[in-house]
Amino acid sequence: MTGTAGYQAKFRKSGTSTSFTGESMTVVTGNTYQIDTDSKQVWNRLSTFTFYEDSVEISSSDISSIDYLFGKVTFSTSKTGSITVDGDYLPTALIAGGYEATMNRTNQLFTSTDQSNVGFETKELGIKDVNITVSRFDDLSGDFVTILNSGNPIVVEVAPVSTKVYRGWFILSGKDQTIDINSLIEDTLTFDLSGDDEEGKTFSRN
């Protein structure tokens, strides 16, 4: 078995929404396309996106779904021309001083056992949830105090390696600080998934 060194992992958070136009997209599989510029993959889910085939606007009725976390669109019909997109993306930056993270994904299960069973418990899937805890050395910038006070969701990315990237919309629910005269000031940041998402994906992996 070959392990994965922890130093390869990256923890990022989204920043201020920025517009783009005419960004090229490449087919991933079937009718799904992804924006070519990696740094513009995280789209602002509150913005409007317009897609074009050979510079001709594609009707919204031809859009099956959009994955705002990874800059993907799935069309209802196949395309043969060049696909481009206009919209807004969220630049992402490393969480300063981050050195450790824990990501927990859970499925709530309900017992549905009745007298039709054959001696085993039966379960029904309930609500899914994700939370992330990041440990970091405090840079005294105050960025996370602002995020905590606003209560607005941001995109948090955990990438154990470049080929395995998790992103989701999270609310910073806690910021605990440890002050020790014999060490650097440390923060523990707790992020809880924000499931209030009418379109796109709340949590996704590339």
Side-chain angles (χ1 to χ4, degrees):
M1 176 181 176
T2 301
T4 301
Y7 68 83
Q8 298 181 65
K10 306 295 182 187
F11 322 122
R12 301 179 185 273
K13 65 178 179 67
S14 62
T16 304
S17 183
T18 305
S19 63
F20 62 77
T21 57
E23 288 288 332
S24 61
M25 305 187 76
T26 299
V27 64
V28 177
T29 180
N31 297 335
T32 300
Y33 289 74
Q34 184 174 36
I35 191 169
D36 290 335
T37 306
D38 291 347
S39 61
K40 298 179 181 179
Q41 281 187 358
V42 181
W43 291 353
N44 186 346
R45 62 181 178 179
L46 301 180
S47 299
T48 299
F49 290 81
T50 307
F51 301 92
Y52 304 87
E53 181 179 14
D54 292 334
S55 301
V56 177
E57 183 175 341
I58 298 172
S59 171
S60 59
S61 62
D62 197 7
I63 298 172
S64 177
S65 64
I66 298 176
D67 182 347
Y68 293 91
L69 290 169
F70 285 97
K72 295 179 181 180
V73 60
T74 300
F75 299 110
S76 302
T77 60
S78 61
K79 307 299 175 191
T80 57
S82 298
I83 304 299
T84 57
V85 58
D86 298 345
D88 299 283
Y89 76 101
L90 300 172
T92 60
L94 289 172
I95 293 179
Y99 64 83
E100 183 180 68
T102 301
M103 181 172 64
N104 293 312
R105 290 170 290 169
T106 58
N107 287 335
Q108 186 178 28
L109 296 177
F110 300 107
T111 300
S112 58
T113 311
D114 60 22
Q115 291 181 336
S116 65
N117 78 88
V118 290
F120 295 93
E121 292 276 5
T122 57
K123 306 286 185 181
E124 298 289 340
L125 179 62
I127 295 173
K128 299 180 180 181
D129 197 13
V130 184
N131 61 73
I132 295 172
T133 301
V134 177
S135 298
R136 67 187 286 266
F137 298 111
D138 189 11
D139 62 354
L140 302 180
S141 65
D143 289 347
F144 288 101
V145 173
T146 301
I147 294 172
L148 182 65
N149 289 339
S150 72
N152 294 325
I154 63 170
V155 175
V156 177
E157 172 186 298
V158 177
V161 291
S162 60
T163 56
K164 183 185 290 185
V165 181
Y166 301 91
R167 291 175 185 156
W169 287 93
F170 289 86
I171 294 175
L172 179 61
S173 61
K175 180 182 183 295
D176 299 322
Q177 196 163 69
T178 300
I179 302 174
D180 187 331
I181 196 171
N182 294 311
S183 64
L184 297 175
I185 297 174
E186 298 183 27
D187 278 344
T188 300
L189 307 172
T190 303
F191 297 93
D192 289 303
L193 191 67
S194 173
D196 185 14
D197 189 3
E198 294 181 359
E199 296 184 61
K201 294 185 177 180
T202 297
F203 182 79
S204 186
R205 176 195 164 183
N206 198 22

